Amino acid sequence: MVRTVLTCLAANVLAIGGAAAQTLVERGDYLVNAVMACDGCHTPRGKSGFIMEKRFSGGSQVWDTPAYTVRGTNITPDRDTGIGAWSDNDIKRSLTEGLHRQGRPLAPQMPFAFYKILTPRDLDAVVAYLRTVKPVRNEVPPPVYKAAMHAEPVPGAVKPFAEEDMRDPIKRGFYLSTIAHCMECHGRRPDGVQDYKSAWGKGGYVFKGPWGSTVTSNITSHPKSGIGAWTDAEIRRSLTHGVSRDGRKIRPPMDRQEFFSRMIDADLDAIVTWIRTLPPIE
């Protein structure tokens, strides 16, 4: 056990050094394309998957809830239909405060509450990378708000992490899992309301889409209801290959292996280390 912890610590130190050596654009590329999975909402989809020639131009993903109807927005540098005319601070404010350039609130479908934890350098990196994306002209219908917009604060993630926090495997795993907004799905009650106090990792909410219905899994350490009996390798395989412990293919919207398979080993190890700390909930 001691050797495992020491190995994990050493891996995290090496990973931190590697991240520091990356340029801002390289770091932003990794965050956007491996951890945060921004394609999921912002890249149009066709019958065979993402339409990559229109990457990040938004439009096709629609969320129609009692509180709002929104589409994935155009986050390419197109000046007329995207964010090309936005300042760096405009982009940062949208990411961490949920405010549009014009000052209106964003629907919590944009997981800005989870991005408040971004370190200053990582926030800079995301902005730097988005500046390199190919501009695509695509006018997306504006959001329709039917109620006041509200996002529940994520416990432990209400302010930016410091770089030194990344040296602790559990904190690093929490950080990565937060910007991957895992609890956006796994921290809901069955009625869909975010409940980070009693439903932290419990799951149970039913997502409905073109694929049918999918019940959000329990990812707590409960040995029967959760993943407490899973091995580290099984948890990693579920993240990187989209396969459950029993070999079943994980269904949307959790089929994010295309993104998580790009994560470095040290980051995957940190996520597993953090997941092991989730209290068991039946």
Side-chain angles (χ1 to χ4, degrees):
M1 177 66 180
V2 172
R3 182 176 180 181
T4 301
V5 172
L6 289 174
T7 301
C8 191
L9 282 167
N12 273 280
V13 169
L14 289 172
I16 293 164
Q22 291 177 312
T23 66
L24 281 180
V25 171
E26 289 169 341
R27 177 63 176 169
D29 185 331
Y30 178 72
L31 293 171
V32 169
N33 298 318
V35 186
M36 297 163 72
C38 300
D39 282 295
C41 293
H42 295 284
T43 296
R45 295 176 189 262
K47 291 184 179 179
S48 57
F50 292 121
I51 305 173
M52 297 307 285
E53 60 266 28
K54 296 182 179 179
R55 194 175 191 211
F56 294 144
S57 65
S60 69
Q61 280 80 284
V62 183
W63 293 271
D64 190 5
T65 76
Y68 54 81
T69 300
V70 298
R71 293 174 178 266
T73 54
N74 186 335
I75 59 171
T76 76
D78 182 74
R79 293 188 65 83
D80 296 323
T81 64
I83 60 173
W86 292 37
S87 69
D88 288 0
N89 284 337
D90 289 335
I91 299 173
K92 291 177 183 180
R93 190 169 66 154
S94 71
L95 283 166
T96 61
E97 298 179 35
L99 291 175
H100 189 271
R101 183 191 184 200
Q102 298 169 343
R104 60 175 169 79
L106 301 180
Q109 192 65 43
M110 167 62 179
F112 56 87
F114 293 85
Y115 296 157
K116 289 181 181 294
I117 198 174
L118 281 164
T119 67
R121 186 174 189 274
D122 278 354
L123 187 57
D124 286 341
V126 171
V127 174
Y129 173 74
L130 290 177
R131 296 294 193 198
T132 72
V133 172
K134 181 186 76 172
V136 178
R137 182 174 180 81
N138 184 34
E139 188 77 45
V140 176
V144 176
Y145 298 143
K146 311 163 194 176
M149 294 298 97
H150 173 70
E152 285 294 317
V154 180
V158 296
K159 63 181 181 180
F161 258 32
E163 294 295 334
E164 51 264 30
D165 291 323
M166 300 296 102
R167 299 185 182 279
D168 181 299
I170 294 176
K171 288 182 179 180
R172 185 179 184 86
F174 172 67
Y175 177 82
L176 293 163
S177 300
T178 300
I179 63 174
H181 40 99
C182 299
M183 289 302 176
E184 183 183 16
C185 297
H186 295 282
R188 297 181 188 224
R189 299 199 304 252
D191 63 1
V193 175
Q194 303 286 172
D195 183 356
Y196 301 135
K197 184 176 181 180
S198 60
W200 187 249
K202 182 179 180 180
Y205 177 65
V206 179
F207 280 93
K208 296 181 180 180
W211 62 82
S213 297
T214 304
V215 180
T216 312
S217 300
N218 184 327
I219 60 170
T220 74
S221 56
H222 193 281
K224 293 184 178 179
S225 300
I227 59 174
W230 291 36
T231 65
D232 289 359
E234 287 168 344
I235 297 174
R236 283 185 56 149
R237 187 177 68 155
S238 71
L239 293 170
T240 60
H241 290 76
V243 178
S244 186
R245 188 189 192 197
D246 58 7
R248 287 180 296 110
K249 184 178 179 180
I250 293 175
R251 304 179 67 195
M254 181 53 202
D255 57 339
R256 302 176 77 182
Q257 62 274 9
E258 178 180 347
F259 308 104
F260 295 157
S261 62
R262 301 169 185 165
M263 293 177 65
I264 61 174
D265 288 342
D267 284 349
L268 288 167
D269 288 343
I271 289 175
V272 173
T273 300
W274 171 74
I275 286 177
R276 294 294 193 197
T277 70
L278 296 180
I281 303 177
E282 187 170 6

